[in-house]
Amino acid sequence: MKRWWMLALGVNAHAGVTLGLFGLPLVMPEIQRHFGVSLPVAGIIANAAAFGILTALVAWGALADRHGERVVLGTGVGLAAVLFGAAALVESAWAVAALLALAGAAGSAAMVGGGRIVLRWFRPPERGVAMGVRQVSFTLGMAVGAFTLPPVAAAYGLTGVLLVCAGVSLLAAVLAAIFLTEPPHEVAGQGAAPVGSPYRQPALWRVHATSALHVVPQIVVSTYGVTCLVELYGWDAVSAGRLFGVAAIGGAAVRVAAGRWSDRVGLRMRPLLLITFANLVVLLLLVAATLTRTWPGPVMLALAAVMTVAGNGLAYLAAGELAGPAWAGRVLGTHNTVQNTVSLAATPLAGVLMESAGFWAGFAAGLACTLLSVPVVPWRGERAGRG
């Protein structure tokens, strides 16, 4: 039972800091109004945390491999809270973006530490569900953000939003620093560590590449979905945020279900391949609906917000299992660094594409990346029960 309590602390830390690291696109209209900037520039500000995240993940992973999750989560998430608070006190758009980037570097500790909790506290037959629960931290944070940040922005502006992000992150950091502990040796040391670098395995490179391609539709939908509903379909920002809040809850349920499915079959990549095929259908319908501005668009946006995150936990878990316990922190840090590098590049490019050709074009780019990922998923030769 203690392992689930440890997992809950990791989920809480990641969910808390997610509001500030990834939730700001939910208030994109307020960011545009507050700073008087275009959609692509607002997208860069809203996703500025990604600049810091991609610089720090591997370092946090190495620190976690050496000192454990308690130090990493308490320090990183706590520092992120201070930086969110500082961002609330300045007015310059680029100063806010710089502080958010620093907060991303600090708060990314939760992205590595939470994954190591699963690998070190849980045995292989339980890891799919446990990683699904751990991945709920992102969708939980986004759900809370979707229901709270747009109303806060409407009432108190961007300053209020950033102060809420600071308070939630600070509470999560304190809980992690006080209550997280190390697992028993017989659990933490299970599984043979690979001899030398795990990157001698081609499958690990392909897992990273698969996630890099899959993150494009995810970031396009999560960053510009609310704006699409407001500008293309005439929704108000609060209602659009609530729709994405419901979608985030659905995404959390689907991630846990995908993890349970992978545990039952003893495989990670074959379920991910089938989820990829489902995403192709959803994204194709989304492109068609937004191109023609027809009523299925909002439904497909919500469904895409659910399905594009469904396979994240499977790829993340596969990377950790291929790494082995001695390399888990560094490999998971690298995995997230790859994802965030692609996210950082895709966000402004998708914004420019959408401004020049329409929202459908950005979603079409996500569809193309999903299609390209199909032959990359390393499902052939995967052995049941590995890990």
Side-chain angles (χ1 to χ4, degrees):
M1 190 64 190
K2 188 175 182 180
R3 65 192 186 281
W4 292 103
W5 169 238
M6 295 298 106
L7 180 58
L9 289 169
V11 167
N12 183 62
H14 192 189
V17 80
T18 289
L19 264 72
L21 298 189
F22 300 103
L24 295 183
L26 295 166
V27 294
M28 284 269 285
E30 173 59 24
I31 293 174
Q32 285 183 273
R33 187 205 65 79
H34 185 88
F35 295 115
V37 295
S38 66
L39 181 63
V41 174
I44 292 173
I45 295 170
N47 290 279
F51 286 89
I53 289 171
L54 65 88
T55 66
L57 281 164
V58 176
W60 281 121
L63 191 63
D65 285 337
R66 178 179 291 269
H67 296 292
E69 289 78 21
R70 183 177 184 175
V71 171
V72 165
L73 292 181
T75 302
V77 178
L79 183 56
V82 173
L83 290 162
F84 289 138
L89 302 178
V90 300
E91 288 298 323
S92 166
W94 298 115
V96 170
L99 287 167
L100 290 175
L102 291 173
S108 63
M111 300 170 67
V112 174
R116 286 185 83 254
I117 290 172
V118 172
L119 292 166
R120 300 181 74 232
W121 277 90
F122 290 83
R123 299 187 184 280
E126 300 177 308
R127 285 181 186 161
V129 169
M131 189 61 81
V133 172
R134 184 268 175 195
Q135 291 286 335
V136 164
S137 57
F138 175 83
T139 48
L140 177 61
M142 292 299 289
V144 172
F147 284 112
T148 59
L149 296 186
V152 169
Y156 303 104
L158 185 61
T159 298
V161 168
L162 292 170
L163 288 175
V164 167
C165 294
V168 173
S169 296
L170 182 61
L171 177 60
V174 170
L175 291 174
I178 293 174
F179 294 110
L180 270 174
T181 62
E182 289 295 298
H185 178 73
E186 62 271 16
V187 177
Q190 64 181 300
V195 177
S197 171
Y199 284 102
R200 295 175 181 177
Q201 306 169 84
L204 183 51
W205 291 98
R206 292 177 65 182
V207 170
H208 288 336
T210 298
S211 287
L213 291 166
H214 283 183
V215 83
V216 174
Q218 179 182 328
I219 199 67
V220 171
V221 170
S222 64
T223 300
Y224 299 108
V226 169
T227 307
C228 177
L229 288 174
V230 171
E231 295 187 3
L232 194 64
Y233 289 97
W235 288 44
D236 65 89
V238 173
S239 297
R242 286 173 179 166
L243 178 66
F244 272 80
V246 173
I249 295 171
V254 168
R255 285 185 178 196
V256 175
R260 175 60 177 160
W261 176 20
S262 78
D263 283 341
R264 287 180 66 87
V265 300
L267 300 167
R268 313 300 182 197
M269 292 294 97
R270 292 186 189 181
L272 180 60
L273 181 64
L274 295 178
I275 290 171
T276 302
F277 287 136
N279 282 337
L280 287 172
V281 175
V282 172
L283 290 167
L284 180 61
L285 293 174
L286 175 59
V287 170
T290 50
L291 175 61
T292 57
R293 300 192 179 198
T294 49
W295 66 265
V299 177
M300 290 301 109
L301 268 172
L303 191 56
V306 172
M307 290 304 300
T308 55
V309 302
N312 281 5
L314 300 182
Y316 192 71
L317 177 55
E321 289 181 335
L322 288 167
W327 277 76
R330 283 162 286 182
V331 168
L332 294 180
T334 301
H335 188 83
N336 276 325
T337 298
V338 170
Q339 284 189 306
N340 282 278
T341 301
V342 174
S343 297
L344 187 62
T347 298
L349 290 175
V352 171
L353 188 59
M354 287 175 163
E355 277 205 329
S356 61
F359 286 99
W360 70 271
F363 301 136
L367 171 64
C369 289
T370 305
L371 183 61
L372 287 172
S373 76
V374 171
V376 180
V377 180
W379 64 274
R380 295 183 185 275
E382 184 182 21
R383 297 193 302 274
R386 182 172 181 170

